């Protein structure tokens, strides 16, 4: 019931309000301030307002005399103060309400309405000032309540998943008692908060509940055990536990009391680590590496799905990371050494990317890098040393290099840290290629643009370079020969950019070899053959290739320019010669005059015997040339000559485009229909190996204008050859491929021998040049200087350097110091 004291209670800050009030009448006092003027309009807006402004109101101070402050008088009987125990009834009501609210098993209802309990608390706290009694009673009831709850949970304790149910129920009931906070608002907001050392009502309740219930060792142990039992059951049975829907409720209850991380999260992560460490040990013994990897990926997928279904977002990445590290700990090299070669061999980009991203998450990039380098190194070395497949060497290089470049730019490229839960979507897709993903793509989760990883790029280069050394000189030779084949074939309908890109890929391989002089020598030899035999598909591409080689790969590629210059001068010379002799014969000579210093050929000691009319043509041209160039000597290279013959067969005539050696053999059959190998050799005087290859091309190739008896793949000394009068072909102009167009193994060996000889000269010159500049050097310093001087051509072996130093000592270009044989002195 509201009393008079309550109604007249004034704020403390306004207790002197009436005492300090003074009227606004005109009081003549010196201490008073001059009266303030009241602002008004200059003119009244209407006659009524003007009339009101001139007539003072009834209550105006102008009508009465005001000589001091106003006083307030209370009319009626005096009010008697309440006695000391007046509010005991309200205090008892509040205490009974607290007991009812903090008794879980008490079926009693509140002793009064909410409004009455609220007002009683206000009267006890604010009017009677008896908050200490309420506080003491509240603490006792809270301790009793929490003690009963703890005892109930202890008595129901069991190490099974079902234990989470009473925990959830108790926490939920206790949290619902927040009604206490609203009913005891004055106790919470007035009494407790006025004491700076005290906490709010809710905080006091939660702290006591956490201390007595959730931090109890017995209760907490059973809660942890329940969590372990639940998640272990799901992992072992690969299905959802019947009580899984209650796990989010448990997490919510623990979060309300600030115990989620210490009780649930720590338990979950520890259990996850222990479970998968044990499972990793077990499965590694049972499964092959590839099966273990697939099993690991599936486990990660299951854990991610469980996290999304049950756990809060904050723990997702922690669970994923824990599963990965627990399963893969100590297994990285074992997996990579077995699995990576399989994926590389099948060129499975998807699974390689999944493997890489998985290992990135467990800091295993270096393990993948080491395995990748080992595979590339062994694969390139195997290709290099596979002698039987030398012709396929460069094709296999290009295929492997293209694949590694794809991995470099797409799979192993550098990027920002992988987004949370991102890589596993690609892993799962790669593991189950037959399946389809129904989940929409998260555009925000797309990885940022990637850039080439320099470390991986260097690994590829080092692996190729190191493997090329397994068979010195051969890779450089085969790359040059492959380019020769490509330049002969030409574009074949491809766009210029496509063809140029293919050639660039081949040239890129040449960067991996240290034998640049070998590549350069063989390329020049093949270029010379293409130009002289007119086998090049395009002179423009030839010149563009030479320019690129010279500017981007090796400045020593200048011989090709001189070759084209010689051919241009030769065409001018032939025009002059033909104009000089006139067209007096059906035969027409086309000679190419080449400077021997620019063309990688040497004149042969024995020449083939030419028919008189051919020899006569050569003699005429020789005389003409010497008349123009005094002191020049001409050596004829018949092995590179070509001829066009007209052949009369039984059914029709054909025009045959053949090599000069083929022409010499065919012309013999104008006089004879059958000749033996010995007869042909005697009459043509062609070198034995060349002659056998020539006869093979005429009698065993696709265009067989001769018949060999007896049949066989090889030409033997007792074989005989017959003109094939029945030869037929739909084309009139027939080109018969010459086997000698390709470089023979003997020529290749000879070229290699010439290269080795040139290397000795280069090393000798380098030794003299270095010693002349330094005058005196230690053996190791001299070796370093020699390697630096010749590294643009080749990288010499230490043994070869030692041999050339000894040779220079014998030839007295340098000498050893008498007191130290490891120091050399230059001799002027």
């Amino acid at each position: 019931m509201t009393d008079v004291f309550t109604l007249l209670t004034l704020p403390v800050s306004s207790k002197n309000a009436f005492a300090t009030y003074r009227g606004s009448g005109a009081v003549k006092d010196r201490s008073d301030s001059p009266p303030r003027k009241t602002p008004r309009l200059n003119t009244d807006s209407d006659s009524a307002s003007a009339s009101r402004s001139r007539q003072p109101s009834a209550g105006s101070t102008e009508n009465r005399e005001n000589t001091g402050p106003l006083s307030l008088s209370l009319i009626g009987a005096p009010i008697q103060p309440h006695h000391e125990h007046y509010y005991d009834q309200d205090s008892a009501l509040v205490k009974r309400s607290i007991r009812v609210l903090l008794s879980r098993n008490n079926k009693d209802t509140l002793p009064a309405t909410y409004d009455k309990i609220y007002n009683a608390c206000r009267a006890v706290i604010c009017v009677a000032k008896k908050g200490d009694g309420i506080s003491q009673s509240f603490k006792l009831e809270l301790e009793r309540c929490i003690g009963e709850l703890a005892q109930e949970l202890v008595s129901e304790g069991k190490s099974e998943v079902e234990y989470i149910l009473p925990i959830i129920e108790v926490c939920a009931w206790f949290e619902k008692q927040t009604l206490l906070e609203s009913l005891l608002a004055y106790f919470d907001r007035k009494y407790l908060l006025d004491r700076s050392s005290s906490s709010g009502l809710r905080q006091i309740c939660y702290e006591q509940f956490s201390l007595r219930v959730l931090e109890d060792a017995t209760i907490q142990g059973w809660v942890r055990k329940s969590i372990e039992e639940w998640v272990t059951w799901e992992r072992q049975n690969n299905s959802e536990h019947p009580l899984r829907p209650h796990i989010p409720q448990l997490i919510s209850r623990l979060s309300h009391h600030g115990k989620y991380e210490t009780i649930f999260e720590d338990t979950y992560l520890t259990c996850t680590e222990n479970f998968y460490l044990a499972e990793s040990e077990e499965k590694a013994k049972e499964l092959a590496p590839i099966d273990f990897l697939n099993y690991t990926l599936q486990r990660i997928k299951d854990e991610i799905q469980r996290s999304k279904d049950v756990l809060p977002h904050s723990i997702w990445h922690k669970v994923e990371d824990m599963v990965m590290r627990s399963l893969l700990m100590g297994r990285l090299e074992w997996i990579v050494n077995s699995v990576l070669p399989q994926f590389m061999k099948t060129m499975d980009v998807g699974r390689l990317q999944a493997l890489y991203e998985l290992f990135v998450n467990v800091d295993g990039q270096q393990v993948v890098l080491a395995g990748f380098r080992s595979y590339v190194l062994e694969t390139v070395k195997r290709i290099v040393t596979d002698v039987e497949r030398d012709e396929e060497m460069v094709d296999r290089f290009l295929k492997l290099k293209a694949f590694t470049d794809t991995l470099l730019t797409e799979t192993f490229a550098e990027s920002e840290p992988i987004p949370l839960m991102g890589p596993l979507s690609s892993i799962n897709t790669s593991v189950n290629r037959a399946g389809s993903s129904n989940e929409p793509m998260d555009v925000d989760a797309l990885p940022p643009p990637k850039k080439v990883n320099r470390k991986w790029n260097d690994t590829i280069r080092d692996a190729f370079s190191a493997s090329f050394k397994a068979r010195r000189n051969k890779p450089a030779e085969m790359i040059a020969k492959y380019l020769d084949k490509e330049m002969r074939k030409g574009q074949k309908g491809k766009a210029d950019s496509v063809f140029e890109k293919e050639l660039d890929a081949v040239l890129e391989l040449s960067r991996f070899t240290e034998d640049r002089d070998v590549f350069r020598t063989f390329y020049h030899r093949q270029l010379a053959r293409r130009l002289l035999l007119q086998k090049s598909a395009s002179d423009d591409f030839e010149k563009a290739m030479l320019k690129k080689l010279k500017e981007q790969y090796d400045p020593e590629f200048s011989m090709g320019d001189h070759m084209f210059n010689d051919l241009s001068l030769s065409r001018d010379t032939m025009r002059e010669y033909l104009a000089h002799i006139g067209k007096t014969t059906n035969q027409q000579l086309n000679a190419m005059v080449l400077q021997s210093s620019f063309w990688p050929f040497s004149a042969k000691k024995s020449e083939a015997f030419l028919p008189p009319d051919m020899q006569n043509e050569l003699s005429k041209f020789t005389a003409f040339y010497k008349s123009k160039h005094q002191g020049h000597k001409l050596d004829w290279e018949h092995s590179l000559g070509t001829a066009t013959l007209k052949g009369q067969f039984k059914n029709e005539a054909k025009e045959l485009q053949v090599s000069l050696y083929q022409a010499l053999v065919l012309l013999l059959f104008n006089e004879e229909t059958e000749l033996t190998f010995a007869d042909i050799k005697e009459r043509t005087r062609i070198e034995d190996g060349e002659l056998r290859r020539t006869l093979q091309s005429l009698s065993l190739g696709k265009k067989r204008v001769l018949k060999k008896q007896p049949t066989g793949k090889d030409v033997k000394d007792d074989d005989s050859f017959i003109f094939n009068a029945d030869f037929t072909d739909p084309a009139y102009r027939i080109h018969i491929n010459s086997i000698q167009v390709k470089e023979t193994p003997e020529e290749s060996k000879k070229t290699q021998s010439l290269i080795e000889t040139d290397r000795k000269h280069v090393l000798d010159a380098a030794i003299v040049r270095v010693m002349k500049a330094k005058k005196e050097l230690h053996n190791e310093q001299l070796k370093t200087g020699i390697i630096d001087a010749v590294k643009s051509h080749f990288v010499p072996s230490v043994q070869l350097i030692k041999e050339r130093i000894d040779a220079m000592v014998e030839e007295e270009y340098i000498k050893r110091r008498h007191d130290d044989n490891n120091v050399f002195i230059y001799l002027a």
Side-chain angles (χ1 to χ4, degrees):
M1 178 177 180
T2 306
D3 50 36
V4 177
F5 287 106
T6 303
L7 291 174
L8 294 180
T9 299
L10 299 174
V12 176
S13 59
S14 302
K15 62 183 179 179
N16 298 320
F18 291 103
T20 58
Y21 174 80
R22 292 182 179 274
S24 59
V27 181
K28 303 300 182 179
D29 192 331
R30 296 179 181 273
S31 62
D32 291 339
S33 303
R36 290 176 293 177
K37 293 182 179 180
T38 302
R40 55 173 294 171
L41 298 174
N42 292 332
T43 58
D44 293 325
S45 58
D46 53 30
S47 58
S49 61
S51 175
R52 287 194 300 270
S53 64
R54 290 189 297 267
Q55 297 176 2
S57 61
S60 173
T61 56
E62 297 179 8
N63 295 330
R64 59 184 176 86
E65 185 178 354
N66 189 349
T67 59
L70 295 178
S71 62
L72 179 64
S73 299
L74 297 176
I75 302 173
I79 299 175
Q80 300 296 327
H82 291 302
H83 54 80
E84 182 180 357
H85 301 289
Y86 181 81
Y87 293 101
D88 288 353
Q89 185 177 358
D90 289 336
S91 177
L93 176 62
V94 173
K95 292 177 182 179
R96 286 197 303 272
S97 299
I98 293 174
R99 171 175 285 274
V100 171
L101 288 173
L102 293 180
S103 297
R104 186 183 181 203
N105 298 320
N106 191 346
K107 303 302 182 181
D108 296 339
T109 59
L110 288 173
T113 63
Y114 291 168
D115 184 62
K116 189 172 183 178
I117 298 172
Y118 175 85
N119 288 328
C121 179
R122 179 173 65 85
V124 172
I125 299 300
C126 298
V127 180
K129 307 298 183 183
K130 293 184 178 181
D132 293 341
I134 299 296
S135 176
Q136 185 66 24
S137 176
F138 168 74
K139 290 179 181 180
L140 292 174
E141 293 297 334
L142 181 63
E143 290 179 3
R144 177 194 57 77
C145 173
I146 294 177
E148 291 177 356
L149 295 177
Q151 184 61 35
E152 178 183 343
L153 291 175
V154 170
S155 62
E156 294 185 5
K158 46 188 173 182
S159 58
E160 296 178 359
V161 183
E162 287 75 10
Y163 187 71
I164 66 174
L165 297 178
I167 286 289
I168 294 173
E169 292 175 3
V170 167
C171 291
W173 176 85
F174 191 80
E175 291 165 14
K176 286 182 180 178
Q177 305 315 303
T178 53
L179 176 63
L180 189 70
E181 183 181 14
S182 60
L183 292 178
L184 306 181
Y186 275 87
F187 176 69
D188 181 26
R189 300 298 177 183
K190 178 66 177 172
Y191 178 82
L192 293 179
L193 294 185
D194 280 350
R195 290 154 176 79
S196 58
S197 59
S198 301
S199 303
L201 187 63
R202 180 187 294 268
Q203 186 176 354
I204 292 174
C205 293
Y206 277 20
E207 286 177 354
Q208 291 298 316
F209 183 82
S210 297
L211 180 63
R212 297 284 302 279
V213 177
L214 298 181
E215 294 183 13
D216 182 88
T218 303
I219 297 174
Q220 192 173 111
W222 283 332
V223 174
R224 292 178 182 273
K225 189 64 177 177
S226 300
I227 297 170
E228 293 178 8
E229 290 289 336
W230 159 69
V231 70
T232 302
W233 188 94
E234 288 200 353
R235 287 165 178 164
Q236 291 176 343
N237 295 276
N238 291 321
S239 61
E240 296 182 8
H241 194 280
L243 295 181
R244 174 190 272 204
H246 295 281
I247 298 299
Q249 300 176 29
L250 175 63
I251 294 174
S252 177
R253 302 281 79 83
L254 295 176
S255 298
H256 270 80
H257 299 281
K259 298 300 178 182
Y260 160 73
E261 291 185 359
T262 57
I263 296 179
F264 188 94
E265 185 172 300
D266 290 350
T267 302
Y268 192 91
L269 293 177
T270 302
C271 177
T272 299
E273 181 181 19
N274 295 335
F275 180 85
Y276 283 114
L277 283 175
E279 186 173 72
S280 175
E281 189 72 25
E282 177 185 349
K283 294 299 180 181
K285 298 176 181 178
E286 299 176 0
L287 303 175
I290 181 65
D291 298 326
F292 181 87
L293 176 63
N294 291 333
Y295 183 83
T296 299
L297 298 177
Q298 185 59 45
R299 274 302 199 182
I300 296 172
K301 178 182 178 181
D302 294 341
E303 287 296 333
I304 289 175
Q305 190 59 48
R306 183 180 295 108
S307 298
K308 291 181 177 180
D309 292 345
V310 180
L311 306 180
H313 186 275
S314 60
I315 196 177
W316 290 4
H317 181 66
K318 297 177 183 178
V319 174
E320 175 191 358
D321 184 68
M322 183 64 72
V323 175
M324 290 180 183
R325 294 184 183 278
S326 300
L327 284 171
L328 298 174
M329 188 67 65
R331 318 277 178 216
L332 299 181
E333 293 183 1
W334 175 63
I335 294 174
V336 165
N337 293 339
S338 175
V339 171
L340 189 139
Q342 297 181 40
F343 294 168
M344 291 290 293
K345 188 174 182 180
T346 57
M347 296 188 175
D348 195 336
V349 177
R351 302 195 76 179
L352 281 168
Q353 183 168 1
L355 177 70
Y356 177 70
E357 291 179 352
L358 176 64
F359 276 49
V360 165
N361 284 294
V362 294
D363 302 323
Q365 301 98 312
Q366 292 301 319
V367 178
V368 181
L369 180 61
F372 177 75
R373 184 184 187 281
S374 177
Y375 175 83
V376 175
L377 190 68
E378 293 299 324
T379 302
V380 177
K381 186 179 295 183
R382 187 165 55 252
I383 295 173
V384 171
T385 55
D386 191 355
V387 180
E388 296 181 357
R389 299 177 65 184
D390 274 351
E391 294 299 323
E392 304 173 31
M393 181 186 293
V394 179
D395 281 318
R396 296 166 72 185
F397 283 157
L398 291 173
K399 184 178 181 180
L400 177 62
K401 184 62 168 57
F403 179 57
T404 56
D405 287 345
T406 300
L407 296 179
L408 186 66
T409 55
E410 298 179 6
T411 303
F412 302 143
E414 290 182 344
S415 62
E416 297 298 324
I418 299 173
L420 179 62
M421 313 300 284
L424 293 182
S425 60
S426 62
I427 291 177
N428 298 330
T429 302
S430 63
V431 172
N432 256 324
R433 286 185 173 273
S436 60
S437 176
N438 296 322
E439 297 182 1
M441 179 180 293
D442 185 0
V443 178
D444 295 333
L446 291 177
K450 298 181 177 180
K451 59 182 180 180
V452 174
N453 191 316
R454 292 184 59 186
K455 185 179 294 185
W456 286 81
N457 188 31
D458 293 342
T459 296
I460 294 174
R461 297 184 63 85
D462 292 344
F464 270 87
S465 299
S467 299
F468 274 21
K469 297 176 183 178
R471 196 175 168 200
R472 284 284 187 180
N473 300 346
K474 197 62 181 180
E477 175 187 345
M478 298 311 299
I479 293 171
K481 290 182 177 180
Y482 187 89
L483 282 172
D484 173 61
K485 182 173 64 175
E486 291 297 307
M487 298 303 286
R488 288 171 181 269
K489 290 192 306 183
Q491 297 173 251
K492 296 291 185 181
K494 301 175 184 176
D496 290 354
S497 58
V498 175
F499 185 56
E500 184 176 0
K501 187 176 180 180
E502 292 177 354
L503 295 178
D504 288 342
V506 182
L507 287 178
E508 188 65 23
L509 294 176
S510 67
R511 294 186 184 274
F512 303 139
T513 178
E514 296 177 346
D515 306 310
R516 295 181 180 84
D517 55 341
V518 176
F519 174 72
R520 184 171 60 248
T521 300
F522 276 97
Y523 186 86
H524 278 145
R525 289 184 67 84
Q526 302 300 331
L527 172 63
R529 285 180 177 272
R530 292 196 300 273
L531 296 179
L532 296 179
L533 299 177
Q534 299 179 356
K535 297 296 183 181
S536 178
S538 169
D539 284 352
D540 292 336
F541 265 111
E542 293 284 7
K543 293 177 181 178
M545 178 64 74
L546 286 172
K547 182 179 179 182
K548 182 176 293 185
L549 285 168
K550 185 177 180 179
E551 294 178 353
Q552 301 180 17
Y553 292 85
D554 189 348
E556 299 295 327
F557 267 96
S558 58
M559 190 180 292
D561 297 333
H562 296 291
M563 292 181 185
F564 277 101
N565 187 50
D566 280 354
L567 293 178
S568 177
L569 294 175
S570 293
R571 286 191 289 269
D572 294 339
T573 301
M574 284 308 303
R575 281 195 293 268
E576 294 179 10
Y577 172 70
L578 293 177
H580 173 72
I581 63 173
K583 296 183 179 180
T584 59
T585 176
N586 292 330
Q587 297 180 349
Q588 181 172 327
L589 174 68
N590 184 17
M592 297 181 184
V593 182
L594 314 174
Q595 299 182 60
S596 59
S597 58
F598 298 142
W599 294 79
F601 302 115
S602 57
K604 295 187 177 180
K605 296 180 180 180
S606 60
E607 290 292 344
F609 182 78
L610 301 182
D613 52 350
M614 285 189 180
Q615 188 62 50
N616 185 42
E617 286 291 330
L618 296 185
S619 300
K620 290 181 180 179
F621 180 82
T622 301
F624 170 79
Y625 184 81
K626 288 187 176 182
S627 67
K628 296 288 185 179
H629 304 279
Q630 298 293 331
H632 287 200
K633 179 183 178 182
L634 291 179
D635 290 320
W636 295 95
E637 184 64 43
H638 297 319
S639 63
L640 298 174
T642 59
T644 301
L645 305 178
K646 289 184 178 180
Q648 185 64 46
F649 298 94
K650 182 182 295 184
N651 296 327
E652 55 188 343
K654 299 290 184 181
E655 186 176 288
L656 306 178
Q657 295 178 345
V658 295
S659 69
L660 183 57
Y661 285 166
Q662 289 173 329
L664 296 181
V665 172
L666 291 177
L667 288 174
L668 295 179
F669 288 91
N670 285 335
E671 304 172 1
E672 305 284 345
T673 56
E674 182 176 355
L675 290 170
T676 64
F677 174 78
D679 291 338
I680 296 173
K681 183 176 181 180
E682 181 181 357
R683 296 173 66 174
T684 60
R685 297 179 185 177
I686 299 175
E687 188 267 330
D688 185 272
E690 291 279 6
L691 180 58
R692 293 180 190 273
R693 287 190 291 272
T694 300
L695 290 172
Q696 280 181 324
S697 65
L698 295 172
S699 61
L700 301 176
K702 295 181 179 180
K703 313 294 184 180
R704 300 185 179 185
V705 294
L706 297 180
K707 295 179 180 179
K708 187 177 84 72
Q709 293 180 350
T711 58
K713 294 183 179 180
D714 298 325
V715 175
K716 299 180 180 180
D717 293 343
D718 56 352
D719 288 346
S720 60
F721 298 87
I722 304 172
F723 178 70
N724 184 12
D726 297 326
F727 173 78
T728 181
D729 193 273
Y732 171 73
R733 185 176 289 106
I734 300 170
H735 176 75
I736 301 178
N737 289 327
S738 175
I739 294 179
Q740 69 262 29
V741 169
K742 296 182 179 180
E743 191 172 47
T744 64
E746 292 79 9
E747 290 177 324
S748 180
K749 290 180 181 179
K750 184 179 179 180
T751 302
Q752 293 283 4
S753 178
L754 292 174
I755 292 172
E756 293 298 329
T757 301
D758 290 341
R759 285 183 171 182
K760 292 179 181 179
H761 297 324
V762 171
L763 287 175
D764 292 347
I767 292 171
V768 173
R769 192 163 54 249
V770 171
M771 289 302 301
K772 185 177 182 179
K774 300 297 182 181
K775 305 302 181 185
E776 182 176 316
L777 281 177
H778 189 274
N779 183 38
E780 295 302 322
Q781 294 174 323
L782 178 57
K783 288 179 182 179
T784 303
I786 294 171
I787 293 174
D788 289 340
V790 303
K791 64 182 180 182
S792 61
H793 302 279
F794 66 101
V795 177
S797 64
V798 176
Q799 181 62 31
L800 182 58
I801 294 176
K802 182 179 179 181
E803 292 176 359
R804 299 322 303 164
I805 291 176
D806 292 341
M808 291 293 97
V809 172
E810 291 179 2
E811 296 178 14
E812 297 183 353
Y813 284 96
I814 59 177
K815 71 175 183 179
R816 298 181 187 272
R817 201 165 69 184
H818 66 279
D819 58 340
D820 189 351
N821 286 337
N822 289 323
V823 177
F824 295 92
I825 300 174
Y826 175 70
L827 299 177

